[in-house]
Amino acid sequence: MKKIRITAVRKADYKDLQLQYENPIEDACNVTEGQVWIAEGWSKPESFCDSAWESISPFVMTLAHGGENFYNGWMKNRKSAMLSCNDGFRPVSFYIEVIEE
């Protein structure tokens, strides 16, 4: 099984939507841009957001088991994907890629 690098490349913060729709939450998202985790198969990396893991884990699992080329040519690197978590108030974009050993 291949190891997968997960990198937080961008984090948006929609304060107007938070004010309009969200109840105040402490520590809603602790991810910072540039933060990196290593995943091995279906195991969620320690300290990785549960909600974000639900969004990206099927792609991580596929890459870890040798899958590639999602959506027939979507990514320049066939062994990668760019995905976002499902938080509509502060979404994080993650780049996931196979670590070639």
Side-chain angles (χ1 to χ4, degrees), residues 4-59:
I4 308 300
R5 180 181 301 114
I6 304 167
T7 305
V9 294
R10 183 160 300 157
K11 181 178 178 181
D13 193 12
Y14 303 128
K15 294 198 182 302
D16 58 329
L17 296 177
Q18 293 166 25
L19 288 171
Q20 186 172 358
Y21 297 109
E22 186 179 43
N23 288 321
I25 317 174
E26 288 186 34
D27 299 322
C29 180
N30 297 325
V31 174
T32 57
E33 290 182 7
Q35 196 169 357
V36 175
W37 301 264
I38 304 298
E40 295 189 38
W42 196 254
S43 299
K44 179 178 74 75
E46 193 171 321
S47 81
F48 196 81
C49 173
D50 290 334
S51 181
W53 184 249
E54 288 181 23
S55 298
I56 74 168
S57 63
F59 293 86

Side-chain angles (χ1 to χ4, degrees), residues 3 6 18 20 24 27 44 56-57 65 73 80-82 86 88-89 94-96 98:
K3 292 183 179 181
I6 304 167
Q18 293 166 25
Q20 186 172 358
D27 299 322
K44 179 178 74 75
I56 74 168
S57 63
H65 283 89
S80 72
M82 178 67 74
N86 58 9
F89 299 112
F94 296 97
Y95 181 67
I96 63 172
V98 172

